[in-house]
Every structure is written in C-alpha cells, then in structure tokens.
Amino acid sequence: MTRTAASTGHAGEHLAVVAGVAVDTRHWIGGQRVASARTFADISPIDEREIAQVASGQAAEADAAVTAAAQAFPAWRATPPPGRAAILHAIAAGVQARVEELAQVETTDNGSLLASHRRGVMPRVAANFRFFADHLLRLGHPDFRTRGHRNHISWDPAGVTAVITPWNAPLMLATWRVAPALAAGNTVVLKPPEWAPLTASLLADIAADAGLPAGVLNVLQGPGAGAGAPLAADRRVRRISFTGSVRTARSIGAAAAANITPVSFELGGKSPLIVLDDADLDLAASLAAEQFDNAGQVCLAAVRILVQERIADSFLERFLARARAIRQGDPRDEATGIGPLISRPHFERVSGFVQRALDQGARAILGGGPNRDLGGLYFAPTVLTGAAEGSEILCEEVFGPVLTVQTFGTEGEAVALANNTQYGLAATLVTGDPERAERVSAQLSAGTVWVNCFFVRDLAAPFGGNGRSGIGREGGTWSFDFYCDVKNTCLAPAGWTTGEPGWLAEGGS
C-alpha cells in the first residue's frame, strides 16, 4: 500500500513513535533527511497493525544517494585507517548505548524475539563495527621476493557500495556488510527491507552522531522495484552486497553484469542436520529444536533432519518433546520462544508449502498449520515426515517453522541425501566419533559445517554458500578482499634503472 505524501515539511511530520522510540521515516542522503512524494505502510507482524508510513524511494532518490556517496568517496578514501577505525568504534559505542531502543523497535518491526535482540543481536551489531575497525588495522600480507624484486599487497577502496539487506535480521545483517565496506574506505548506500526498515534509520542517526562524514553512509528506503533496481543498475556503484532470495539475486546480477560490478550474494538455504547412530541424542534433539529459532526465518537453518534408522524413534521422542515445550506467542514476552511470521504474504506462502506437502502424502507429526489459538501471523511449529524424495517440501526453501524428517541407513546414504539440493549454505552433523565427523563433514557441500554445535559464528571466519546459496565469501580478510581492489605492487631493487626482464620476456604468457 502506498500513499502520496508531501516531499517537504517539518521533521515532526515524518516521525513515527515505535515502542516509545521516535524514528525518522525519511531517507538519509548526503547527511540530510529527505522525504519522498510517496510512502509505504510498515506493518508490525505482532498484530498486523500499521506502525509507520515510510518514505518510498524511486529512481530520483536512488540517484541522489549514489551521487552523495560518490562525492563523499575521495575524502573518506583518503582518511587514514586509524581515523576510519576510530569512527567505527564510535558507531559501535552509539549502538551499545541504544541497545534497548534498537531491540524494541526491531522486535515491533519484524516480530523477532525481544530477548534475543537485547542479549545477542544488537550487541552483535556493535561487535560488527568493532571487529572490522580492528581488523582494518591488522590487514596485511607479508611482502615476498621475486628474483630480487619486492611484491607488496595492498587493499584499495573500491568506491560506492550498495548494501541491500533482508528483513529477518535487518540491522545485524546490514552492519555485517556496512561495517567492512566503511572500514575498507568505501562509501555506502544501504537499502533496508521494506518489511522492516526502521532500525536502519536509527543507524543513520547513530553514525552521524559518531562523526561519520555526510554522504559516507546513506539510507535509501523503499521496495526493490522502486529503490533497489535503479541502485543496482547505477554504473557508479562498484560493489553490490545482497542478502535475500534467488529470484531477486538474478535481477541484481543481470543489472550488475552490464557494468561489470562485482557482487556478493548470500541467498537461500535448505540445510541438513545429520544425526548419526553414535550421536548424543539429547544434544541432537536440542540442536534440532534450535532450528525453530526466529520462527524458522533463518537462511542457514537445518530444516532437513536426516537421522540414522537405528536411532530414529529414540531421537524423535526426544526432539518432539523439546519442540512441544517451545512457547509461541508475543515476541515481547520473555517466555516466548517462537514469534510470528513477518507478513501476511509470507504467511500464506509458508501455509501453501505445508498444505501442498500434506496433499502429496507427507504427514505432520507436529503442527501442520496456523496456530489456531493465536491467529494472526502465528504459524505452529511443524514437523513433517513421509515426504517423497524430490518433492517440493524437500527441495525449496520454505523460510518458516517447518522441518522435515528423513531416515538413512549408511553414511553414504546420509551424504547423498544431504547433498541432494541445489543449495549449499550450511550443514550440521551430530556424531560421537571424531574421525567419523571429519570423514563425513569433508564430503558435505556447504559453506559452513557445524559438528555437534549450531550457529557458532566468528567474524574472522569466511561465510557464504555454494550453488543457489550464493556467490563469494565475507568475514575477516575475505570481506576486505570483496570491498577492495586488491593490488600487488612489484618494486625493482633500489638503484636499478632498467630492471630485470620479467617472466613474460622469458617466454611466459
């Protein structure tokens, strides 16, 4: 839903009070708040009520945001790394000081658990800025010699960066890209998700208060077709980082290809959780129940549970007991373990997947539909068995609280089932045998494999997926490799005027 709005006016006309926090609903471009001729409704998934009318950017606003970023780039690029790092640390401190406000706004905006935002997600936002600020100052590669010549590796800022982010963890996933891009010396245009845009606006305020120069970070709001498409197609944009669906990635990739713009894509997942017959079944059951986190709206969730036949009954008994104990309800309640889905269209999408699976012969041993007691966007935690191999429910990403269970006889069958997907973001393996863990994990096609644990993420580690799960890796130095133009400078020995003939002169190609 959109409505026409005045493009100018007093700041108070553009403030939404969300959970007691005032949020400016205009774009942040070139260090100023900018309204749009149109707005879109931001709906809370908790009760499906409108919480804000947000500026809806189009091509003109996208152009203005890129222009501001391009104009700010030379000065930010020239800022020495310690200066950039100091500002990023100041942003981290600003985030830490407003954890409660950010948590309250994001829970209202996207329906994720308030307790998780307070204790984990928002502190991680601050940690993103601190880590990449510090990593910038450690970034380097030892010089090495080639026939007396010295090779020196450097990371040069690439330019204007577009960061397009999803709604399931809007601020954390945005700053996981914004922080290294800024640390690298790039300027950024951030397009937050239209289903949960508000904490990105608060981030703009925090960054400005921390002393980030005008135009270095810009926030462009609006649906993908209006704001995202012209941003991705702009030839001045030199990096695009996108997290979201495969379908949207195809469109962004096509636009980027026209300008030979490098992309980093984190896309969907259909990850397996493999339970071998020597596993600690209580641990395996706990890890399986964790996959309902954020109402299943987690790209790397292990939604396909693969359990060895000999222990299947014992495992299911433990797992279902834990799953039934998870309380579903208002995400602002500390006792709640599962909240709502993000929107009515997404709720209908998840419902459609489950109903089609049931119609095709799958059986729900837990849940199987909406939570009738809660109504609204609350979909009951669901576990399905009996789905035919190759069926939609086993192949396509549902992105809801829906897990499937399959059994296998041998290790080879487990690996074949795990890898029988076009995705390859993550995999989880539970076994009591270290040699078996090493042997099986080596055969899994996934960007991340967790053994006897889940969701342990170090910011220094590479993260990304195989196949339809994405392109590239980010994290630690891998992030700087993407957000920079990596350069090798080869220097002749001091005092040489003509240099030594190079490899090409000696017959190389």
Side-chain angles (χ1 to χ4, degrees), residues 242-328:
F242 169 72
T243 305
S245 72
V246 173
R247 183 172 70 174
T248 302
R250 288 193 180 106
S251 298
I252 292 173
N259 299 315
I260 318 297
T261 303
V263 298
S264 176
F265 286 163
E266 182 194 332
L267 309 179
K270 199 68 177 175
S271 301
L273 189 161
I274 304 168
V275 184
L276 296 174
D277 58 9
D278 58 3
D280 178 330
L281 294 187
D282 288 324
L283 171 63
S286 294
L287 292 174
E290 279 188 51
Q291 309 312 311
F292 289 120
D293 182 51
N294 203 23
Q297 299 168 129
V298 179
C299 56
L300 47 74
V303 295
R304 295 184 297 132
I305 299 175
L306 313 178
V307 57
Q308 202 149 12
E309 292 167 352
R310 189 174 68 83
I311 58 166
D313 290 344
S314 297
F315 165 79
L316 280 175
E317 181 181 359
R318 289 170 170 81
F319 166 48
L320 291 176
R322 284 167 172 76
R324 291 188 181 105
I326 302 173
R327 176 179 171 181
Q328 187 168 31

Side-chain angles (χ1 to χ4, degrees), residues 263-266 462-466 469-474 478 482:
V263 298
S264 176
F265 286 163
E266 182 194 332
F463 184 79
N466 305 339
S469 287
I471 296 173
R473 297 293 185 270
E474 294 192 43
W478 287 273
F482 173 69

Side-chain angles (χ1 to χ4, degrees), residues 102-264:
L102 292 166
Q104 290 281 355
V105 171
E106 190 139 298
T107 289
T108 304
D109 208 9
N110 86 332
S112 296
L113 301 184
L114 180 58
S116 294
H117 281 140
R118 283 171 169 159
R119 298 166 191 165
V121 177
M122 296 308 163
R124 164 66 186 273
V125 170
N128 285 341
F129 285 102
R130 291 194 186 100
F131 172 85
F132 286 106
D134 291 339
H135 197 82
L136 168 65
L137 302 181
R138 298 192 300 267
L139 187 64
H141 188 287
D143 288 355
F144 57 96
R145 298 281 174 175
T146 304
R147 297 189 306 279
H149 296 62
R150 179 166 64 93
N151 294 277
H152 176 73
I153 311 302
S154 58
W155 284 260
D156 293 350
V160 178
T161 298
V163 177
I164 303 173
T165 53
W167 44 260
N168 57 325
L171 191 57
M172 190 272 284
L173 290 177
T175 56
W176 161 241
R177 276 79 183 188
V178 168
L182 294 178
N186 293 356
T187 53
V188 174
V189 179
L190 168 63
K191 196 207 85 65
E194 60 267 31
W195 282 351
L198 299 182
T199 49
S201 180
L202 294 177
L203 176 65
D205 294 335
I206 292 169
D209 290 343
L212 190 70
V216 175
L217 173 65
N218 305 274
V219 177
L220 173 68
Q221 299 163 150
L231 179 62
D234 196 307
R235 61 180 177 78
R236 296 169 296 174
V237 171
R238 296 316 308 146
R239 292 294 187 274
I240 300 173
S241 180
F242 169 72
T243 305
S245 72
V246 173
R247 183 172 70 174
T248 302
R250 288 193 180 106
S251 298
I252 292 173
N259 299 315
I260 318 297
T261 303
V263 298
S264 176

